[in-house]
Amino acid sequence: MRVAVSTGGGDAPGLNAVIRAVVLGSLNRGWEVLGIRRGFGGLLGDARVVEMNRDAVRGITHRGGTILGTTNRGNPFRWPTLLTDGTWVEEDRSPELISTFGALGIDALVAVGGDGTLRIVRALCERGLPIVGVPKTIDNDVAGTDYTFGFDTAVQTATEALDKLHSTAESHERVMVVEVMGRTAGWIALTAGLAGGADVILLPEIPFDIDKVCNKVREREAMGRHFSIVVAAEGATPRDGESVFQDGAAPGGDARLGGIGARVADAIAVRTGKETRSITLGHLQRGGSPTTRDRLLGLRFGAAAVRAVATKNFGVMIALDGVDMKEISLDAVEGEPRLVSLDSETLLAAREIGVTLGD
Ligand code: F6P
């Protein structure tokens, strides 16, 4: 067997653990392993394909990022190409990818990625490629799996930031608004916000009323608590407004959310007269050494993918279901992302301890 492994989409702590498990699990079965660099780019001449031996994966479990490189602009069905006149066009390069796959003698691919990558995997499987998908994202929003690796590390980073911001907020008697990642899902905001003692948590799942946010700041003021911490998910939207995006999405890439934190901070300052500051944690949440939980999850996802390859169960993705790793249909990623449920127990806990959710 010749097995290949690739990582696509935004990086997430724990990717190297998956790679290590795929490589060692395969080598220990007597198989050969190739690493496809930069998402699917390595199959389209945009990056290299490298042999993966034991040395290639030595001592990488604790390292952030991915030793194979990645891109979130690497859709082979809509490959961005720069023309000589400076304009970009999208090309379907999947036929070339499929023929390179065959030419390299690859018997199976373990493709690690978020829902974008997994949708590509599904389409390539429909065209006959033998692929097993492994879900990853710090956003924790891939449908079909209870958790993705990378999320725990991102939450840890955000929680530590909130701990640090508390002291400066209290010293200056300010409102600090902290914008966290997560796309259209509020998992990072809710989890880090609750663990980090935020007074207000704004989630994409619950459009917020800025008056409710300001009332919380005023209530705290009246109780002698002259500072407040607001966590805003990048996808949070005001009740009467829309999501805020950054300028300049790259060709072939998705529109980038970002900027709601600063808007909320400005609105609080104007309405309450409090001094406010906003901070966007951004890609700090994607970096750093994975937590123990993410290392273990990564290793388990990788090992489970190799088991699927061993039984030639292709066209599936690995999913965490309770405490078990399962092989499920890739159909799961065709629908909506997995969002925070409005009746979730964690959300209930936030409400019960007095966190304002803006509704
Ligand atoms: O999906 C992971 C994620 O970090 C999102 O939380 C965020 O919206 C997006 O990727 C940022 O993407 P980029 O790396 O292209 O800025």
Side-chain angles (χ1 to χ4, degrees):
M1 281 279 270
R2 177 175 275 186
V3 177
V5 55
S6 68
T7 54
D11 65 344
L15 278 169
N16 285 325
V18 182
I19 295 170
R20 182 159 174 266
V22 170
V23 170
L24 295 182
S26 299
L27 293 177
N28 289 339
R29 284 172 164 84
W31 304 342
E32 277 178 52
V33 192
L34 297 178
I36 298 170
R37 294 191 52 82
R38 201 183 298 149
F40 293 109
L43 294 174
L44 292 172
D46 186 48
R48 284 180 306 132
V49 175
V50 291
E51 191 203 326
M52 302 293 282
N53 55 24
R54 284 176 198 279
D55 281 343
V57 295
R58 207 178 291 285
I60 62 167
T61 307
H62 67 287
R63 284 172 54 191
T66 158
I67 60 166
L68 290 174
T70 189
T71 174
N72 47 13
R73 297 193 283 140
N75 185 343
F77 296 96
R78 290 175 40 208
W79 192 264
T81 306
L82 184 60
L83 300 180
T84 44
D85 66 359
T87 54
W88 289 87
V89 290
E90 288 179 352
E91 283 180 281
D92 178 3
R93 295 186 63 192
S94 59
E96 184 185 337
L97 183 149
I98 292 167
S99 84
T100 307
F101 197 99
L104 289 169
I106 298 171
D107 298 302
L109 169 65
V110 175
V112 192
D115 51 11
T117 301
L118 294 170
R119 278 189 213 116
I120 296 167
V121 166
R122 186 172 181 269
L124 291 171
C125 289
E126 278 169 0
R127 286 159 180 76
L129 291 193
I131 314 181
V132 173
V134 171
K136 71 81 234 184
T137 171
I138 64 162
D139 306 333
N140 203 32
D141 63 350
V142 177
T145 183
D146 288 351
Y147 276 100
T148 49
F149 61 84
F151 171 64
D152 191 55
T153 309
V155 167
Q156 184 66 29
T157 299
T159 304
E160 281 166 14
L162 291 174
D163 289 349
K164 289 184 175 155
L165 289 168
H166 262 90
S167 59
T168 175
E170 186 162 16
S171 304
H172 283 266
E173 301 191 344
R174 285 173 172 161
V175 178
M176 300 292 307
V177 181
V178 187
E179 182 179 307
V180 298
M181 281 185 166
R183 298 197 306 174
T184 57
W187 295 106
I188 298 177
L190 177 61
T191 315
L194 198 49
D199 306 295
V200 178
I201 303 176
L202 304 177
L203 310 175
E205 292 85 348
I206 305 177
F208 66 87
D209 177 346
I210 192 68
D211 288 329
K212 299 274 170 63
V213 177
C214 293
N215 284 346
K216 178 70 176 189
V217 172
R218 291 190 196 101
E219 267 169 35
R220 284 177 54 78
E221 203 64 24
M223 287 179 342
R225 307 293 281 157
H226 300 295
F227 72 98
S228 292
I229 303 283
V230 178
V231 172
E234 63 180 1
T237 51
R239 234 177 226 177
D240 49 0
E242 291 182 346
S243 304
V244 183
F245 289 91
Q246 301 177 47
D247 291 336
D254 293 331
R256 287 155 59 211
L257 285 161
I260 187 68
R263 293 213 189 164
V264 169
D266 287 348
I268 295 172
V270 169
R271 287 161 192 250
T272 66
K274 287 289 296 178
E275 199 181 0
T276 64
R277 293 288 185 271
S278 73
I279 172 171
T280 302
L281 295 188
H283 293 80
L284 275 177
Q285 295 157 100
R286 292 238 298 263
S289 183
T291 58
T292 306
R293 183 182 164 91
D294 281 341
R295 294 179 200 193
L296 282 174
L297 266 184
L299 291 167
R300 290 178 61 206
F301 269 106
V306 176
R307 288 197 293 276
V309 170
T311 57
K312 298 202 173 356
N313 190 17
F314 299 121
V316 295
M317 69 178 236
I318 307 302
L320 183 68
D321 180 3
V323 293
D324 298 320
M325 287 291 168
K326 300 235 166 103
E327 295 162 17
I328 67 164
S329 164
L330 279 161
D331 291 351
V333 294
E334 278 305 304
E336 294 299 308
R338 198 177 65 91
L339 304 181
V340 174
S341 151
L342 294 187
D343 54 12
S344 89
E345 193 267 339
T346 312
L347 213 49
L348 187 62
R351 289 189 195 281
E352 284 175 342
I353 64 169
V355 176
T356 295
L357 300 170
D359 58 347

